[in-house]
Amino acid sequence: DTGVSQNPRHKITKRGQNVTFRCDPISEHNRLYWYRQTLGQGPEFLTYFQNEAQLEKSRLLSDRFSAERPKGSFSTLEIQRTEQGDSAMYLCASSYSQGELAKNIQYFGAGTRLSVL
Amino acid sequence: QKEVEQDPGPLSVPEGAIVSLNCTYSNSAFQYFMWYRQYSRKGPELLMYTYSSGNKEDGRFTAQVDKSSKYISLFIRDSQPSDSATYLCAMRDLSGGYNKLIFGAGTRLAVHP
C-alpha cells in the first residue's frame, strides 16, 4: 500500500486551457474526496465520492469543474477554461467507511499544484 | 466569520520547548476533531484524532477538546526541528451525513536548534 497517489505533482497552464488531474486512492478505500488549498489557507472541500457515486459537491465547484470516479477506483478532476483564480493545490483524500463513523480517517495525497498563467 | 478559527502564526520556538496550538469553532454539529501536520509542498498527514471532550496523548503530542467552549488544542512536548511544519486543525461536519472535513487556516511552526 503506497498511500494516496496524485498526478501530476505540478501543472502549469495558460488561462483558458483545460486541465485534468488524477487521484489513485489507497486500495480498498471506498470513499474519495477532493479539496482545494490556496496559499496560507487550510484545505477546502470540493466534492466526495462513495464508490463511483458523487454524493456531495461544494458550491466552490463551479460548472467549469467536473469530477469522476469510474468503477469506484481512481478519480479525475477536470477544470475547463482555467482562470488565474484556479491556481491552487488540489488535494485528494481517501477513507474506508466502516460501521462506526469515527473510523473514517481521511488520508491525503501530496497534491497537484496548479499554476494558471 | 469562518466556522473554524486558527491563528496562522508563524510561531517560532527553541528546540525542547512546549508548543501550544489552538483552534476555536462555532458549529455545534462538529463532533470529531483532528490535527494534521503539513510539510511544505506535501499533503496533510494525520497526527491526532479525538471525539469526546478531554485529553488524548500520543508520544510527545497531546490533543485536548473542550466542546462546551468550542475550543481544541494540540500540545507538543520537547519540540524538535523536525516538528517545523504547518499544523492544521480539522473537524468533521456530520450535518449532511457524510464526513466532510472543515479545516482551520493552519499555524506555521518553526522550531530552531
Side-chain angles (χ1 to χ4, degrees), chain A residues 41-43, chain B residues 4-6 23 88-91 102-106:
Chain A
Q41 299 298 317
Chain B
V4 180
E5 297 282 353
Q6 184 176 9
C23 287
L88 298 156
C89 63
M91 306 179 190
I102 309 297
F103 283 86

Side-chain angles (χ1 to χ4, degrees), chain B residues 16-66:
Chain B
I18 296 174
V19 176
S20 173
L21 304 165
N22 311 293
C23 287
T24 58
Y25 63 97
S26 56
N27 190 341
S28 298
F30 293 158
Q31 295 296 322
Y32 299 88
F33 306 91
M34 284 137 278
W35 286 94
Y36 282 83
R37 177 175 61 195
Q38 187 174 27
Y39 292 112
S40 180
R41 300 186 180 276
K42 300 288 187 183
E45 169 195 12
L46 182 69
L47 278 178
M48 299 287 287
Y49 180 96
T50 58
Y51 169 71
S52 57
S53 286
N55 294 349
K56 182 177 180 179
E57 189 173 319
D58 184 1
R60 296 184 297 112
F61 298 92
T62 299
Q64 193 172 78
V65 174
D66 182 348

Side-chain angles (χ1 to χ4, degrees), chain A residues 9 31 33 35 37 40-43 45 48 55-56 91 95 101-102 104-106 108-110 113, chain B residues 2 32 34 36 38 41-44 46 49 88 92 94 97-106:
Chain A
R9 292 296 311 278
R31 294 184 175 182
Y33 313 78
Y35 291 82
Q37 185 177 25
Q41 299 298 317
F45 172 80
Y48 151 70
L55 296 183
E56 189 173 357
L91 292 162
S95 71
L101 287 176
N104 294 334
I105 303 296
Q106 294 186 27
F108 283 80
R113 183 174 298 277
Chain B
K2 293 184 178 180
Y32 299 88
M34 284 137 278
Y36 282 83
Q38 187 174 27
R41 300 186 180 276
K42 300 288 187 183
L46 182 69
Y49 180 96
L88 298 156
R92 182 173 295 165
L94 298 185
Y98 308 113
N99 52 357
K100 171 175 67 176
L101 294 180
I102 309 297
F103 283 86

Side-chain angles (χ1 to χ4, degrees), chain A residues 100-117:
Chain A
E100 300 173 29
L101 287 176
K103 301 216 186 296
N104 294 334
I105 303 296
Q106 294 186 27
Y107 297 90
F108 283 80
T112 294
R113 183 174 298 277
L114 173 65
S115 300
V116 182
L117 305 178

